[in-house]
Amino acid sequence: MSKYYLFQDVKKCIGCHSCEVACKTNKGLPVGPKVCEVITVGPRFVDTLPKAAYTFMPCYHCEDPWCVAACPTGAMQKRKKDGIVFVDHQLCVGCKTCMSACPWGAPQWNPAIGKVVKCDYCMDRVDRGLKPACVTLCTTHCLHFENAEAPRPIRRERYARAMAALD
Amino acid sequence: MEKVVYSLCFMCSVRCPIKVFVKDDEVRWIEGSPHVPGMEGSLCPRGAAGIALLKDHQRLQSPLIRTGPRGSGKWKKASWEEALDYVGDTLKKIIDEHGARSVVLGERTQLSTHVSQTFLKAIGSPNHFTHDALCKGSVNTACRSLFGYTDAQMGFDYKNTKHIVLYGRNFFEAIEVKGVNSLLDAMDNGAKVTYIDPRVTVTATKANRYWMIRPGTDLALNYGLIHVLLRERLYDKTFTDRWVSGMQELESFIEPYSPEWAEKETGIAAGEITSLAREISKDKPSVIFHFGYRGASLTNEIYLRRSILILNSLMGSIEAKGGLFFKKGPGEVGRKPARKLTEQKFPPIDAPRFDKVGTEAFPLPDPAHGVAQMLPDAILNDDPYPLKALIAYRFDPLMSIPESELTLRALEKLDLVVTIDINFSDIAWYSDVILPESIYLERTDCLQQANGLKPQLFLRRQAVTPRYNTMPGAVILKKLAERLGVGNYFPFSNSEELVQWQLEGTGFSLEDFDKKGFVAYTDKQIFWDRKDGIKLKTPSGKIELVSSLLQKAGFESFPAYEPIAKPSQGEFRLTVGRCAAHTHISTQNNLYLNELVPENSLWINNRAAEGLGIKDGSLVSVSSNNGSGMIKSYVTDLIHPEAVFMLHGFGHRAEMGARAFNKGLSDALIMKNISDKTGGSPALHDTFVKVKPV
């Protein structure tokens, strides 16, 4: 059962990549793997205004994860209690099948250990009652670690405020 | 053992409050302080890369003494005793022969700046300078000319603003975490952002209005705006009647500078200029025309910065909620600030400064900072007298002062070059002796007197023991002072003792910082009364549009506008700036930040590039009369055809910083070293370059 939902409030994202550095710092990663990544599309002019999309791409921790199904050794697993998809390095043989299976390229290659590394919502932190590294350090707090069943209606709240400001 | 240390980040100069988690003398995690609004865990990418700096094997690890020719990279490891004795003995010889004035110390302003100022005062040299002029000398002077306060004594109430106008102040890439979050909050509440820049930045993509202005013509735009505000009587008359002098002079000066006139110079339609003036005046006084962080583009820089401040004055946004305010010190609540070593009595110094600041030749720049870019000329021409020794304290003249070749020639003339730094900067690589400083996580620093709407004190505190054989800069300078017989001005043996000395009289103790990392003199925001209480420091007590400061020094307050030259065919105006991943010249070798942005590229307009046969991503040569180099192109419609742009801080030449070595191009190689002789900034956007495919 997938318990968590990581919401990116794109209106507040400034594409600074602090989340990526926070993630790599927490996992002690070498140059190369980007367990989460902000992909910038644009800027390009829409009428007179330049617009860009800064899209945050962690692992989405699918309810039915293809990477888990593809993993031949059982290293890629979905945690029963909260649905976090993680890789057990004891079992990973570095075959990269999960990298091929994931439609979003979430599993990454860690050349330092010859195994796959992926977003596990910082299980170490979550289990201590903390938020994932990326969410904690996000410069603008545009990342929100939410309960998937009851996320804060951030966009609705903003829309309602904007409408209320009209009168 | 686990502990939490509240401290201040130092991956850039903003000093964001941080919470450091330490276990068994290792830093496990750093996050923004939960106790400071606007931080609440947040850190920018540079702050997030602090542990990578701590663990970096490519930073300075031991005192080094040069064994080969300068810049050859041949070093011997030295003990602190040996390195300090060497510097002490050499300095002594130089001082005996040429006088103390032949010693210069340049640094990037920081919490221990009063210690290095004290070092020079104690030995009897007037030649302390900071990097400030390179960044914003003219902004400082402009603020003093109108208000009597420096830019550093003014702040912005982003959170409550209703409209902010940014002139290339790349707010969402040159990140100050608290400011970013305050402005985003304001935007969530409906605040408008107008962004003006020849180049599309992240900030442009977040703005409500973006103008790709012709590079260098912001002053013309502002004159057009002022023209509309005055003609249509859109300014805050109650405020200007009470606080502003020189309105009549402004009115007659601005008469010819209509929006139609401004359109021809800036490329921004007259109607657009008029509508901004009308729109923003509706939100007065809660508006901000941002005077910028870096204000160092053209030789008339001070007049651009003054025009921005005049716009604020007309909107009445001075000392207004959602506008600009003067920072309040502990004196406002009858308390005392942290002491500085410079408060001690020193022997008088007669010699003028090397940069002639404070003399008739250069009367207006702030002598507390000097004018860094005068250094090469002063050395090369022995003008006003011979300089023999340079101590570069986390300041790199080779990459920060325009015209590196000139700077290098000057450095070659010196008898002694010493660097105090944490990294193998280019100046460290070139030095005779390197004295390595502990990084911010390994040292306690002097107190931060954080004046503002609420005066506070912050403390950078040691979290772990130094990883290598390094020391805090303040202690290094004290040990050097001892060797020169002036150790008596440094009444401390370590950083904690120095902080305790600073705290005397403030009513606070070191332990008071344990809980949150800061203490507050008051919990209420202090705004002065806009009717009678604004304590302006100009001679008239008014905002002086016709400035007595300028007048006294023989400068006009309203010189006629001089049109900005257009580059000829195949030439471009070189512009520079920052990105979120890097701080000036100091982070390019950080493992994670280097991975994010490993090198710079040359932004060039797609139509201009097509005409020159330049393809996106290809190598191009960039050359001026002062220097040349090669860099990858970025061909785009996101930049004005008259400008090219590159990120500052790349093209490092120090081999030991292997990740950044030879990556990209240093703008200082190409730019010419010219200055705004009134305000003090260099003109960093006043070099025309030729760009050619390679």
Side-chain angles (χ1 to χ4, degrees):
Chain A
M1 165 78 181
S2 197
K3 187 175 157 191
Y4 303 114
Y5 165 51
L6 206 159
F7 171 66
Q8 181 202 11
D9 182 7
V10 289
K11 191 149 192 226
K12 285 207 164 179
C13 182
I14 55 172
C16 74
H17 305 278
S18 182
C19 46
E20 295 172 24
V21 180
C23 171
K24 297 193 76 148
T25 298
N26 188 52
K27 289 205 173 340
L29 293 176
V31 168
K34 289 189 171 176
V35 171
C36 65
E37 188 170 7
V38 172
I39 305 282
T40 300
V41 179
R44 90 181 42 127
F45 279 96
V46 179
D47 295 327
T48 59
L49 276 180
K51 290 289 174 196
Y54 309 99
T55 306
F56 179 68
M57 309 273 281
C59 167
Y60 298 125
H61 298 268
C62 309
E63 182 70 14
D64 185 8
W66 295 6
C67 59
V68 171
C71 178
T73 68
M76 193 65 82
Q77 303 168 37
K78 186 174 150 190
R79 200 156 81 155
K80 278 218 174 67
K81 67 170 179 179
D82 54 13
I84 287 179
V85 179
F86 70 101
V87 57
D88 181 348
H89 281 157
Q90 303 278 1
L91 299 175
C92 177
V93 294
C95 72
K96 309 178 191 70
T97 310
C98 54
M99 294 170 66
S100 307
C102 175
W104 299 282
Q108 298 274 305
W109 184 245
N110 181 350
I113 55 170
K115 293 173 194 291
V116 156
V117 59
K118 76 171 281 298
C119 166
D120 56 5
Y121 279 156
C122 299
M123 285 194 305
D124 56 315
R125 292 178 58 86
V126 171
D127 290 343
R128 282 182 287 146
L130 303 170
K131 291 177 177 167
C134 56
V135 175
T136 307
L137 257 62
C138 172
T139 299
T140 65
H141 302 298
C142 80
L143 297 180
H144 300 263
F145 191 56
E146 302 279 332
N147 181 339
E149 288 176 32
R152 222 185 97 194
I154 290 166
R155 279 182 287 211
R156 283 179 173 171
E157 281 169 8
R158 178 178 294 124
Y159 183 72
R161 257 201 318 275
M163 294 310 284
L166 290 177
D167 52 44
Chain B
M1 207 188 71
E2 284 190 64
K3 63 172 179 175
V4 161
V5 180
Y6 288 101
S7 188
L8 293 173
C9 184
F10 202 15
M11 294 299 289
C12 81
S13 296
V14 171
R15 304 185 191 116
C16 290
I18 52 173
K19 184 178 182 183
V20 185
F21 296 78
V22 178
K23 193 179 174 196
D24 301 329
D25 200 32
E26 292 284 345
V27 175
R28 291 303 166 101
W29 184 244
I30 309 171
E31 62 187 42
S33 170
H35 301 298
V36 177
M39 296 302 305
E40 291 133 348
S42 296
L43 282 180
C44 80
R46 298 160 299 166
I51 295 177
L53 170 64
L54 181 69
K55 292 184 172 169
D56 193 356
H57 296 293
Q58 291 184 17
R59 68 176 162 109
L60 295 168
Q61 301 183 18
S62 152
L64 296 173
I65 299 176
R66 180 170 64 80
T67 55
R70 276 187 183 160
S72 63
K74 294 206 167 73
W75 306 96
K76 69 165 183 179
K77 266 193 184 174
S79 68
W80 275 104
E81 286 297 306
E82 196 183 352
L84 289 167
D85 284 348
Y86 179 91
V87 176
D89 289 347
T90 316
L91 278 178
K92 229 188 280 175
K93 234 182 279 167
I94 289 170
I95 293 171
D96 285 348
E97 254 179 70
H98 304 280
R101 66 183 190 178
S102 64
V103 179
V104 188
L105 186 151
E107 72 179 319
R108 201 165 266 282
T109 316
Q110 45 139 359
L111 295 172
S112 298
T113 292
H114 70 114
V115 182
S116 29
Q117 284 169 335
T118 298
F119 177 80
L120 284 196
K121 283 176 192 284
I123 64 169
S125 168
N127 291 326
H128 177 275
F129 72 88
T130 75
H131 84 293
D132 274 39
L134 285 167
C135 176
K136 59 194 185 75
S138 300
V139 184
N140 177 322
T141 310
C143 285
R144 280 183 289 126
S145 79
L146 284 152
F147 310 120
Y149 290 95
T150 68
D151 59 312
Q153 292 169 317
M154 302 185 70
F156 306 90
D157 184 13
Y158 298 120
K159 206 180 177 81
N160 295 302
T161 199
K162 292 181 180 159
H163 195 146
I164 186 167
V165 181
L166 302 163
Y167 301 81
R169 166 76 184 97
N170 188 2
F171 210 86
F172 295 126
E173 284 188 272
I175 296 176
E176 177 205 0
V177 175
K178 275 186 281 181
V180 163
N181 284 314
S182 302
L183 183 57
L184 284 171
D185 283 350
M187 288 163 75
D188 235 4
N189 289 327
K192 299 274 183 295
V193 176
T194 292
Y195 186 70
I196 300 152
D197 193 325
R199 179 179 73 107
V200 172
T201 62
V202 171
T203 310
T205 69
K206 295 283 170 182
N208 304 86
R209 177 190 275 107
Y210 167 70
W211 287 340
M212 187 180 278
I213 192 169
R214 216 190 120 218
T217 63
D218 305 45
L219 178 59
L221 167 66
N222 282 353
Y223 284 166
L225 285 170
I226 294 171
H227 182 101
V228 180
L229 292 175
L230 292 186
R231 187 181 62 196
E232 301 189 7
R233 297 285 181 259
L234 297 172
Y235 56 94
D236 184 340
K237 193 163 181 312
T238 317
F239 184 85
T240 55
D241 281 352
R242 174 66 185 87
W243 294 111
V244 180
S245 72
M247 285 293 285
Q248 273 182 348
E249 289 86 343
L250 177 67
E251 200 144 3
S252 58
F253 168 75
I254 214 72
E255 211 272 313
Y257 301 118
S258 64
E260 291 72 25
W261 167 86
E263 174 178 332
K264 284 187 203 123
E265 185 70 358
T266 62
I268 300 165
E272 294 267 311
I273 297 173
T274 304
S275 57
L276 173 61
R278 288 177 186 162
E279 183 187 316
I280 201 164
S281 70
K282 286 184 194 144
D283 285 324
K284 67 178 183 289
S286 296
V287 301
I288 295 169
F289 289 86
H290 202 297
F291 57 64
Y293 272 15
R294 178 163 64 89
S297 298
L298 300 176
T299 52
N300 66 347
E301 191 71 23
I302 185 173
Y303 294 105
L304 168 61
R305 302 301 150 183
R306 276 174 52 80
S307 71
I308 296 172
L309 297 166
I310 289 171
L311 282 162
N312 285 298
S313 305
L314 294 176
M315 290 293 97
S317 64
I318 307 297
E319 202 62 21
K321 207 171 174 195
L324 286 70
F325 58 82
F326 298 105
K327 292 181 182 172
K328 314 301 185 302
E332 286 289 320
V333 288
R335 302 276 295 272
K336 286 209 168 110
R339 294 165 77 194
K340 289 185 170 176
L341 290 175
T342 42
E343 293 161 13
Q344 302 172 94
K345 265 206 136 174
F346 299 93
I349 298 169
D350 297 329
R353 296 179 52 91
F354 77 95
D355 49 22
K356 301 185 189 171
V357 166
T359 72
E360 266 181 32
F362 217 176
L364 290 185
D366 189 343
H369 297 288
V371 176
Q373 70 270 24
M374 300 307 289
L375 184 68
D377 264 351
I379 297 171
L380 285 168
N381 304 322
D382 293 334
D383 179 20
Y385 44 76
L387 298 174
K388 296 293 174 187
L390 170 69
I391 301 173
Y393 185 2
R394 60 183 296 276
F395 169 74
D396 188 345
L398 285 166
M399 288 187 79
S400 304
I401 297 178
E403 222 171 318
S404 304
E405 280 306 310
L406 185 78
T407 310
L408 190 63
R409 257 193 290 135
L411 293 179
E412 278 166 9
K413 228 183 124 185
L414 294 175
D415 293 345
L416 179 69
V417 180
V418 179
T419 292
I420 304 172
D421 208 334
I422 59 169
N423 284 316
F424 254 114
S425 55
D426 281 22
I427 186 65
W429 189 250
Y430 182 81
S431 293
D432 304 321
V433 183
I434 303 175
L435 304 174
E437 198 181 21
S438 306
I439 75 156
Y440 68 105
L441 297 165
E442 304 167 317
R443 69 173 199 247
T444 294
D445 249 333
C446 292
L447 285 160
Q448 181 195 5
Q449 184 69 51
N451 293 341
L453 288 174
K454 283 188 243 178
Q456 296 170 315
L457 284 171
F458 283 82
L459 183 60
R460 175 174 296 129
R461 244 172 168 182
Q462 184 175 357
V464 290
T465 54
R467 309 289 94 162
Y468 305 117
N469 187 18
T470 60
M471 288 204 278
V475 177
I476 296 173
L477 285 169
K478 174 208 162 66
K479 287 179 184 286
L480 262 187
E482 280 169 351
R483 282 161 172 81
L484 296 171
V486 291
N488 53 309
Y489 292 102
F490 301 83
F492 60 90
S493 60
N494 57 47
S495 306
E496 286 71 24
E497 281 181 28
L498 176 53
V499 173
Q500 260 154 355
W501 180 90
Q502 287 194 282
L503 280 172
E504 278 172 30
T506 61
F508 298 112
S509 71
L510 201 49
E511 293 71 42
D512 292 339
F513 293 83
D514 291 349
K515 236 193 200 158
K516 297 180 180 174
F518 68 96
V519 293
Y521 288 92
T522 170
D523 46 13
K524 283 194 203 87
Q525 290 196 342
I526 307 168
F527 272 105
W528 286 328
D529 176 25
R530 276 163 59 83
K531 219 167 141 203
D532 284 314
I534 303 181
K535 299 170 195 170
L536 293 161
K537 285 216 294 197
T538 50
S540 63
K542 299 256 179 160
I543 297 171
E544 295 184 353
L545 303 189
V546 178
S547 160
S548 52
L549 186 81
L550 292 179
Q551 217 161 23
K552 249 198 199 154
F555 297 108
E556 288 179 81
S557 289
F558 297 117
Y561 183 84
E562 284 178 35
I564 296 298
K566 274 194 180 147
S568 49
Q569 182 64 27
E571 282 198 338
F572 302 87
R573 186 178 290 278
L574 176 62
T575 63
V576 294
R578 311 281 184 267
C579 67
H582 288 297
T583 299
H584 306 298
I585 57 157
S586 65
T587 55
Q588 285 74 20
N589 203 50
N590 180 289
L591 181 73
Y592 290 153
L593 300 176
N594 182 272
E595 185 183 13
L596 278 182
V597 182
E599 64 182 304
N600 57 356
S601 57
L602 189 82
W603 292 48
I604 182 166
N605 179 272
N606 50 348
R607 277 167 292 150
E610 200 183 300
L612 295 168
I614 292 167
K615 288 209 175 74
D616 184 33
S618 65
L619 209 57
V620 293
S621 87
V622 186
S623 61
S624 70
N625 293 334
N626 309 97
S628 63
M630 294 209 275
I631 184 171
K632 269 186 208 153
S633 68
Y634 169 50
V635 175
T636 175
D637 65 344
L638 302 174
I639 187 165
H640 193 282
E642 282 184 30
V644 288
F645 168 88
M646 63 170 92
L647 285 173
H648 176 65
F650 289 87
H652 287 260
R653 297 282 175 88
E655 287 169 35
M656 293 293 283
R659 301 175 201 107
F661 174 62
N662 255 347
K663 296 275 168 61
L665 180 61
S666 166
D667 52 31
L669 273 178
I670 317 286
M671 287 174 183
K672 59 183 167 187
N673 185 342
I674 47 167
S675 294
D676 167 6
K677 295 296 281 185
T678 314
S681 285
L684 302 178
H685 290 179
D686 215 1
T687 302
F688 285 162
V689 295
K690 283 197 173 70
V691 181
K692 288 180 190 157
V694 176

